[in-house]
Amino acid sequence: MGVFAIRLPDVGEGIAEAELVEWHVKVGDVVREDDVLAAVMTDKAAVEVPSSVDGKVLALGGEIGDMIAIGAVLIRIEVDGEGNESGNVEAPVSVPVEEKPAVVEAVAEPAPKPAAKPAVAPVAAAPVKRAAGTKPLASPSVRARAREEGVDLRQVPGSGAAGRISHGDLDNWIASGGIQQGTVVRGQNTGVEEVRVIGMRRKIAEKMAISKRQIPHITIVEEVEMSALEDLRAALNAKHKGERAKLTLLPFLMRAIVEAVREQPELNARYDDEAGVIHRHGGVHVGIATQTPNGLNVPVVKHAEAGSLWDNAETVARLAQEARDGTIKRDELSGGTITITSLGPLGAIATTPIINHPEVAIVGVNKMQIRPVWDGQQFQPRKMMNISCSFDHRVIDGWDAAVFVQKLKTLLETPAMLFVEG
């Protein structure tokens, strides 16, 4: 029998290490070639590491959340014949990054834990609600304890005969903080769950922290009358139903952004903080913030300026689905020059979007709803929506930000202008 060490492969992104986010095996498992052993997280995506041999798992090279260096031992497997390592198969596995022994699962069964003592004493029967002004029934010991605890027994429901209050009733009342709803006394929940921040959640946290720490945000919220655009969208979808991709609001908003940054190229840019250089891009690469089971991803529609409404609608739908399925390509999650974020029907009246660093602007879409709008003579019901746009104030002045927002408002309220060349 030999020992075969599988090392963390170079995932091709020029990185030196990756975060271990999931084990698919444990010590003692029998694996076959191509079975997935673990998942690691790079700066852009999760990568699965398969086995290159058949054998039995001897030891794991790290714990969930550890950073593993490229080329370091990830797992050791006992194989038939000669492995790629010499020495005793029981030798401990070292964790390459933190230089500490690997944690190997114990073989012995853990000692049984003593049964937890219930936080609230059980009640023999449902508490009886007394009529107002009725004297509470309780033993002298219960009354003495109530006086010591400062509890008014007139407020405590009793579960005994004729509503008699027991020590258990008093325990429940004290544990609940004196909260009673109907005939149910609700106890306090003092449990605390620890959730380690790893993988995609940690990447999101780090990126948001960088954005808020390094970028001085300015946010402008503007109200947009959406009736004309919604009518146009419904008509186009009806005309091409089943023949072309369904048009949502996003392709129209992308087209409006393309037209707006044509006049203000400084908004379609990325800011290199360290070099102090602003990179203004000719192509408009629109990131679409997308919620997935693994956290927030931002797929990027490259060269939105070259696509039609339907082209961009199809691309957005495809990228969103692939992001949720976890099949999206890494290069489709990077390279954005401006981002759109939307909570859809869950959106609020206004939001303050955080810029997707190192971009300099983000457009937030809020909830659309019918509101009364004054037309000069009377209030009329109109489909209204607020847009919340944030800007990097190091790069974008307030005036330029306001001009951009007003341009978007004009284009969305008069959608025919989206199709006018020149």
Side-chain angles (χ1 to χ4, degrees), residues 134-209:
T134 303
K135 183 179 179 180
L137 299 177
S139 67
S141 63
V142 170
R143 293 183 183 280
R145 184 178 165 212
R147 285 194 298 270
E148 293 174 359
E149 299 285 354
V151 175
D152 183 355
L153 286 180
R154 291 174 298 178
Q155 305 298 321
V156 180
S159 59
R164 189 177 187 85
I165 301 170
S166 67
H167 282 285
D169 297 326
L170 190 56
D171 287 339
N172 280 331
W173 183 260
I174 295 171
S176 70
I179 300 172
Q180 179 183 0
Q181 297 182 1
T183 60
V184 179
V185 176
R186 302 189 182 278
Q188 295 176 334
N189 186 341
T190 58
V192 177
E193 180 183 5
E194 291 187 1
V195 180
R196 192 172 181 184
V197 180
I198 63 171
M200 181 63 75
R201 189 73 264 162
R202 182 157 80 177
K203 295 297 181 185
I204 294 172
E206 291 172 352
K207 194 170 183 64
M208 292 298 99

Side-chain angles (χ1 to χ4, degrees), residues 292-304:
T292 75
N294 294 321
L296 186 68
N297 280 344
V298 186
V300 179
V301 180
K302 303 290 178 65
H303 291 288

Side-chain angles (χ1 to χ4, degrees), residues 5-340:
I6 295 179
R7 300 177 181 274
L8 182 63
D10 185 351
V11 294
E13 296 182 9
I15 61 173
E17 60 183 9
E19 181 185 3
L20 179 61
V21 295
E22 184 179 9
W23 280 115
H24 288 262
V25 297
K26 63 182 182 297
V27 172
D29 283 355
V30 175
V31 298
R32 295 186 177 276
E33 185 177 355
D34 294 330
D35 284 352
V36 175
L37 301 174
V40 296
M41 176 68 66
T42 70
D43 288 338
K44 298 177 181 177
V47 179
E48 293 182 337
V49 181
S51 176
S52 53
V53 295
D54 297 344
K56 180 180 179 181
V57 176
L58 289 178
L60 309 179
E63 298 180 352
I64 300 301
D66 287 350
M67 301 302 294
I68 308 295
I70 299 300
V73 174
L74 180 66
I75 191 171
R76 281 188 169 92
I77 298 177
E78 182 182 18
V79 296
D80 292 332
E82 188 175 350
N84 63 358
E85 279 196 346
S86 60
N88 193 321
V89 297
E90 300 299 329
V93 181
S94 61
V95 179
V97 177
E98 300 180 1
E99 298 297 331
K100 64 182 180 182
V103 176
V104 181
E105 294 188 2
V107 177
E109 292 291 330
K113 296 181 179 179
K117 182 179 179 181
V120 179
V123 179
V128 177
K129 186 176 182 180
R130 290 183 302 279
T134 303
K135 183 179 179 180
L137 299 177
S139 67
S141 63
V142 170
R143 293 183 183 280
R145 184 178 165 212
R147 285 194 298 270
E148 293 174 359
E149 299 285 354
V151 175
D152 183 355
L153 286 180
R154 291 174 298 178
Q155 305 298 321
V156 180
S159 59
R164 189 177 187 85
I165 301 170
S166 67
H167 282 285
D169 297 326
L170 190 56
D171 287 339
N172 280 331
W173 183 260
I174 295 171
S176 70
I179 300 172
Q180 179 183 0
Q181 297 182 1
T183 60
V184 179
V185 176
R186 302 189 182 278
Q188 295 176 334
N189 186 341
T190 58
V192 177
E193 180 183 5
E194 291 187 1
V195 180
R196 192 172 181 184
V197 180
I198 63 171
M200 181 63 75
R201 189 73 264 162
R202 182 157 80 177
K203 295 297 181 185
I204 294 172
E206 291 172 352
K207 194 170 183 64
M208 292 298 99
I210 290 173
S211 294
K212 290 298 289 184
R213 183 172 61 247
Q214 297 186 193
I215 300 177
H217 285 58
I218 176 176
T219 301
I220 297 178
V221 180
E222 180 59 277
E223 192 174 45
V224 181
E225 208 276 285
M226 299 294 293
S227 299
L229 191 148
E230 283 297 284
D231 290 344
L232 174 62
R233 187 174 71 86
L236 291 174
N237 280 331
K239 179 179 179 180
H240 299 287
K241 185 176 182 180
E243 300 174 359
R244 295 184 177 181
K246 183 178 179 180
L247 295 176
T248 64
L249 170 63
L250 290 179
F252 292 93
L253 185 55
M254 292 166 67
R255 173 55 57 185
I257 289 173
V258 167
E259 295 300 320
V261 301
R262 183 175 296 168
E263 299 177 5
Q264 292 179 283
E266 66 272 17
L267 276 84
N268 187 52
R270 296 165 67 91
Y271 182 31
D272 187 332
D273 303 75
E274 295 184 2
V277 176
I278 301 170
H279 299 276
R280 295 180 178 176
H281 291 257
V284 184
H285 310 311
V286 182
I288 307 294
T290 304
Q291 189 65 40
T292 75
N294 294 321
L296 186 68
N297 280 344
V298 186
V300 179
V301 180
K302 303 290 178 65
H303 291 288
E305 79 281 358
S308 68
L309 285 176
W310 291 275
D311 292 335
N312 289 337
E314 185 175 351
T315 303
V316 167
R318 176 181 63 81
L319 292 177
Q321 188 58 51
E322 290 177 357
R324 296 186 184 101
D325 294 342
T327 59
I328 191 167
K329 299 176 182 177
R330 295 190 195 95
D331 62 351
E332 292 180 318
L333 290 171
S334 62
T337 57
I338 189 169
T339 294
I340 297 174

